[in-house]
Amino acid sequence: MTTSVTAYAAPAPKAPLERTTVERRALREHDVLIEIAYAGICHSDIHQAREEWGTALFPMVPGHEIAGVVAEVGPAVTKYAVGDRVGVGCFVDSCRECENCLAGEEQYCLKGEVPTYNGNEYDGAPTYGGYSTHIVVDENYVLRIPEGISLDVAAPLLCAGITLYSPLAHWNAGPGKKVAIVGLGGLGHMGVKIAHAMGAEVTVLSQTLRKQDDGLRLGADHFYATSDESTFTELAGTFDLIVNTTSANLPLDGYLSLLKLDGTLVHVGAPESPSAFNQFSLIMGRKSMAGSKIGGIRQTQEMLDFCAEHGLGAEIELIDGERINEAYDRVVSSDVRYRFVIDIASLKA
């Protein structure tokens, strides 16, 4: 028997989100019912609710940065018990059979992972995300949130945190490595914190120096304005790794010039239109350009444990459900430092 839960949903593309109810499935053998405490607002929520990334499914309940507490478990659940602190990220299932799933890289499932919202379960049922009081998820796609992180600042780690942790870990950010983070926003601020905790020398590349004090406070060693052309001259050939967190069309040749021999520019943000670059920007320094998409379940748990060990959480502004539409507009205008988080208790009022 399904259960109706309170949620905030976009009824149609670009329409304001409104309070409503959605159905959650009855618990299957391996399901966990989570009472959601907090849900982060990711810019991708806005892109999808406003149908900026192609045709979407409506009504849409966004939210894939979910933190809460286990309220009930299915009869065969072994990983979690009622009362456990847990989280859910960007997907809630995968085929579990392809080579990528078997390697613990479920985010690259060859069948296509099941997104937490704006998607369909393999049986065709629509998925609804974390802007709601409860969610039902298979235990194998639930993460444990360590006691060392409060749930409100942990919620954004389920997307923003793993989106930066994964490339930093994959490309071996650490002592002796010079890492640049492009953009100091919801993603970038976590990149600075994590890269610093890994022991890398961290530089923020931001359009202006407006957020310089924040960047240095969060762990950056250096902060440069990319609107100043001298930045690209001064920093030429400097970095082992550059992680681009923005969704803007950057002058890629300029950023590639900042890499050392064998350096890598990794994109975790996606602009709406294709970007261009000169292949000689790669050839002349045996440089690489790559992309990275969140992380698998195993690595996401590794990230949460790392953040707890180092006392890392997102910088947040807590809001109630009635302010979601205001928050969307403020995210688009870069008026948040650095992640809005919805207090889901406000949906129960």
Side-chain angles (χ1 to χ4, degrees):
M1 182 177 178
T2 61
T3 303
S4 293
V5 303
T6 303
Y8 270 84
K14 298 180 174 60
L17 276 73
E18 56 189 36
R19 190 183 180 102
T20 186
T21 60
V22 294
E23 296 298 312
R24 296 300 188 190
R25 68 173 182 256
L27 265 63
R28 301 168 183 163
E29 283 200 343
H30 290 278
D31 278 347
V32 173
L33 172 66
I34 300 168
E35 183 175 2
I36 300 173
Y38 300 99
I41 293 179
C42 177
H43 204 147
S44 61
D45 297 348
I46 302 169
H47 286 306
Q48 293 180 81
R50 296 182 176 178
E51 214 169 44
E52 295 169 348
W53 284 353
T55 304
L57 303 175
F58 294 91
M60 180 192 298
V61 177
H64 57 208
E65 297 181 338
I66 299 167
V69 176
V70 175
E72 189 178 346
V73 297
V77 169
T78 60
K79 296 183 177 181
Y80 300 99
V82 172
D84 285 352
R85 294 154 40 91
V86 294
V88 179
C90 299
F91 58 92
V92 291
D93 204 355
S94 65
C95 81
R96 315 184 195 201
E97 298 175 345
C98 72
E99 59 183 309
N100 293 347
C101 283
L102 294 176
E105 302 282 7
E106 300 94 340
Q107 75 276 29
Y108 301 120
C109 175
L110 296 176
K111 182 177 179 179
E113 78 279 23
V114 175
T116 304
Y117 70 90
N118 189 28
N120 294 102
E121 301 276 4
Y122 291 137
D123 65 6
T127 56
Y128 299 116
Y131 299 6
S132 59
T133 58
H134 297 79
I135 192 170
V136 175
V137 181
D138 185 288
E139 64 175 327
N140 293 294
Y141 297 82
V142 175
L143 288 308
R144 187 178 300 278
I145 297 177
E147 291 293 337
I149 320 173
S150 63
L151 292 179
D152 53 354
V153 300
L157 301 181
L158 277 302
C159 176
I162 186 58
T163 296
L164 273 296
Y165 182 90
S166 187
L168 289 168
H170 184 80
W171 278 277
N172 301 309
K177 294 293 183 74
K178 293 186 176 181
V179 174
I181 304 295
V182 183
L184 190 66
L187 295 177
H189 91 284
M190 285 310 309
V192 170
K193 287 189 172 192
I194 292 169
H196 174 74
M198 288 177 168
E201 182 179 333
V202 184
T203 297
V204 175
L205 300 175
S206 186
Q207 196 168 17
T208 71
L209 298 179
R210 183 168 58 95
K211 298 179 181 178
Q212 181 173 16
D213 289 346
D214 278 0
L216 299 177
R217 174 178 60 83
L218 295 172
D221 299 285
H222 316 285
F223 199 108
Y224 287 86
T226 56
S227 56
D228 183 347
E229 291 185 6
S230 68
T231 291
F232 290 88
T233 302
E234 183 177 347
L235 297 180
T238 294
F239 300 108
D240 299 285
L241 175 65
I242 301 174
V243 183
N244 172 28
T245 72
T246 73
S247 56
N249 286 101
L250 300 179
L252 294 179
D253 297 299
Y255 284 87
L256 289 168
S257 75
L258 304 181
L259 292 171
K260 292 180 177 179
L261 176 69
D262 291 325
T264 303
L265 169 61
V266 182
H267 299 282
V268 297
E272 292 183 38
S273 56
S275 300
F277 69 98
N278 187 325
Q279 281 84 344
F280 277 108
S281 295
L282 299 177
I283 292 169
M284 300 310 291
R286 201 165 60 201
K287 300 171 184 177
S288 301
M289 187 155 60
S292 180
K293 174 189 175 187
I294 51 174
I297 295 297
R298 182 177 60 213
Q299 190 179 52
T300 304
Q301 188 64 60
E302 177 185 300
M303 176 274 303
L304 288 168
D305 294 341
F306 177 90
C307 287
E309 178 185 351
H310 293 275
L312 306 182
E315 304 287 305
I316 67 168
E317 181 175 334
L318 199 61
I319 63 168
D320 59 35
E322 294 181 354
R323 293 180 58 201
I324 292 173
N325 293 303
E326 171 197 338
Y328 272 28
D329 291 337
R330 285 181 56 191
V331 169
V332 171
S333 60
S334 299
D335 181 22
V336 57
R337 295 192 179 183
Y338 282 90
R339 205 62 152 187
F340 284 114
V341 171
I342 305 164
D343 183 353
I344 299 300
S346 68
L347 275 62
K348 302 172 185 176

